[in-house]
Amino acid sequence: MEIAGFLGSVLQAGDEGFQAARQIWNGDIQREPAVIARCTGTADVLAAVRFAREQGLPIAIRGGGHAVAGHAICEGGLVVDLSSMTGVRVNPLMGSVRAQGGCLWRHVDHESQAFGMAVTGGIVTHTGIGGLTLGGGIGHLMRRFGLTVDSLVSCDLITADGEFLTTSIDEHPDLFWGLRGGGGNFGVVTSFNYRLHPLGPTVLAGVLAWPMTEAEAVLRFFRDFVAGAPDEVGIVANLRLALALAIFPEELHGKPVVALIICYTGPIDAGEKVLRSLREFRSPVLDTVGPKAYAAHQAMFDPAYPHGRHYYWKAWRLPPLTDRAIDVIVEQARAITSPLSAIPIFTLGGAVARVDDDATAFTGRSAAHDINFVASWLPDDPEPERHKAWARAAWEAMRPHAQGLYINFMSDEAAPDVKVAYGNRKYARLAALKSKYDPSNVFRFNQNIAPAV
Ligand SMILES: Cc1cc2nc3c(=O)[nH]c(=O)nc-3n(C[C@H](O)[C@H](O)[C@H](O)COP(=O)(O)OP(=O)(O)OC[C@H]3O[C@@H](n4cnc5c(N)ncnc54)[C@H](O)[C@@H]3O)c2cc1C
């Protein structure tokens, strides 16, 4: 098959490389698109979108391929595959970085850190900037520098009509509002332009861990600590069996632990004082917190979430943790069915909460946490349904304590839940925007916003 005006590779079933190209991060998703158009740049994206429209093919957009529900790949349609578009250019004078739409966070971190700067990215560096940014973007730096979208200056994108647009606060501001949290609903973003923030390259970061038997006490202390923590504290709690990774001493491998993953972004001395109480309230079995390259800390979780393993997850946004919510979380941690499953709890607040909720399409800035029940198992595990059932049951148990949904952590929720994630008023605004920029719902492999009638 040929696509007019296309420079990259066009892959179909039977072509060398097709089977590899249809694999995404989640090995549990196996779909066979009619064609994968691996783009080299904006001109290819234009050609691919126009071709798909002419042929009446539905379009999936592949950024980093990390959406757990597999939105990057579709059955029978055309995949606009951005995975070769990973160019990054830092402008040190302007303090900004321009990154192509298929970049992973590791590409952006690598270039930005060479200039001692950073933007809030995801906590796994093989996640794509595309999906993560368009859904809002939470990470270690958010309490200090805001969500990823709070540093977004402009985007170039190809619309459903195959038109090129640049969007920013001044150009197509309605669309720019929707892109900051509305997901991949409005077009293919070929490049993101972010404001950078001075950071590191050394930060005070690492892991503190305690046995799961102490989880209730640790989470209560964590709750009280984050309530008064300065913006410089990035902190994620994680409940799981310790993996057989170098960061865990051998005697902890396979043991249930509750961990706090800390990234303090201010001066190291000040950080040591701020973090002292966490280290002293009871002795951790692991303490790796110390001066560390920010880029290394960003990559810390990478080996825990490898490509090709099978995953399923369910997530909630939470208010500050109550004692009862903590009890439920710990009960669910003790009920984990796979040694690879985990419960990470991100901490929002700080700069995230100071931006007006209506300023961007991202919804739920007042939440204290995002909790994710991540089920994960090996491809030959005989009990995938048992692990998925754990995630669903844990999610249901948490429902009475929840405050909403984050679209980047949604998996197979029904369409009405997308409305719940945004709330009726914002959803109506997004649906009107969808009608304006994608009335035929060409871009539908996402947490879909149906065009307003
Ligand atoms: C291991 C792991 C860790 C994660 N950690 C975090 C985290 O720390 N913080 C956080 O906020 N989220 C996190 N996430 C969730 C993540 O934000 C979403 O999975 C996101 O969708 C991933 O983006 P992607 O480009 O890799 O995925 P893809 O599956 O390629 O894309 C996801 C969606 O975005 C669309 N899309 C992607 N790129 C573009 C583009 N350039 N233009 C238009 N649409 C596009 C796709 O069509 C699809 O609908 C994590 C996910 C994983 C798997």
Side-chain angles (χ1 to χ4, degrees), residues 24-25 60-68 70-72 82 101-104 121-124 126-134 136-140 148 183-185 187-190 192 305 313 346 406 408-409 445-447:
I24 52 172
W25 170 76
I61 308 165
R62 182 194 179 118
H66 267 47
V68 72
H71 292 135
L82 306 176
C103 282
L104 308 180
I123 64 167
V124 169
H126 49 73
T127 306
I129 68 167
L132 187 137
T133 301
L134 296 169
I138 65 172
H140 294 303
T148 310
N185 273 285
V188 186
V189 176
T190 53
F192 295 88
Y305 295 97
W313 69 36
F346 292 71
Y406 173 32
N408 273 350
F409 284 167
F445 299 106
N446 41 44
Q447 300 304 349

Side-chain angles (χ1 to χ4, degrees), residues 18-288:
F18 176 80
Q19 290 304 332
R22 70 180 188 84
Q23 299 302 323
I24 52 172
W25 170 76
N26 185 357
D28 204 41
I29 307 288
Q30 294 297 327
R31 296 189 189 130
E32 189 148 319
V35 49
I36 299 175
R38 186 159 281 171
C39 304
T40 58
T42 302
D44 277 2
V45 176
L46 260 173
V49 170
R50 287 179 182 165
F51 175 82
R53 298 300 308 269
E54 282 157 21
Q55 301 292 318
L57 289 168
I59 299 176
I61 308 165
R62 182 194 179 118
H66 267 47
V68 72
H71 292 135
I73 210 93
C74 57
E75 193 67 49
L78 181 142
V79 177
V80 174
D81 180 344
L82 306 176
S83 60
S84 300
M85 291 174 51
T86 59
V88 181
R89 182 178 184 274
V90 172
N91 183 333
L93 290 179
M94 294 294 289
S96 62
V97 60
R98 183 174 284 282
Q100 282 186 301
C103 282
L104 308 180
W105 281 105
R106 72 160 67 103
H107 301 125
V108 173
D109 289 341
H110 177 67
E111 292 295 328
S112 307
Q113 277 291 276
F115 296 91
M117 293 191 276
V119 59
T120 303
I123 64 167
V124 169
T125 72
H126 49 73
T127 306
I129 68 167
L132 187 137
T133 301
L134 296 169
I138 65 172
H140 294 303
L141 305 182
M142 65 179 149
R143 289 169 47 81
R144 175 99 187 271
F145 302 129
L147 301 168
T148 310
V149 286
D150 295 334
S151 296
L152 193 61
V153 179
S154 65
C155 294
D156 290 346
L157 96 163
I158 304 298
T159 65
D161 286 342
E163 298 298 327
F164 173 86
L165 290 181
T166 297
T167 68
S168 67
I169 214 86
D170 301 314
E171 297 163 278
H172 309 286
D174 58 343
L175 181 56
F176 190 58
W177 177 86
L179 290 174
R180 287 175 291 161
N185 273 285
F186 303 106
V188 186
V189 176
T190 53
S191 90
F192 295 88
N193 185 13
Y194 306 96
R195 190 172 66 250
L196 287 170
H197 310 271
L199 182 79
T202 303
V203 291
L204 182 63
V207 183
L208 296 168
W210 296 263
M212 190 72 86
T213 47
E214 299 182 35
E216 285 92 346
V218 171
L219 290 185
R220 282 176 173 78
F221 195 88
F222 163 69
R223 181 247 330 265
D224 298 343
F225 176 82
V226 298
D231 294 357
E232 285 81 0
V233 174
I235 185 163
V236 180
N238 198 15
L239 294 88
R240 65 168 308 140
L241 303 189
L243 289 170
L245 294 176
I247 65 152
F248 291 113
E250 221 167 282
E251 63 273 16
L252 279 185
H253 292 179
K255 300 271 169 25
V257 291
V258 52
L260 297 179
I261 295 93
I262 292 155
C263 181
Y264 184 85
T265 58
I268 305 282
D269 291 353
E272 295 283 8
K273 288 191 193 110
V274 170
L275 301 180
R276 187 172 299 144
S277 65
L278 283 177
R279 294 172 132 154
E280 288 179 352
F281 95 100
R282 55 179 63 200
S283 302
V285 285
L286 177 74
D287 181 352
T288 68

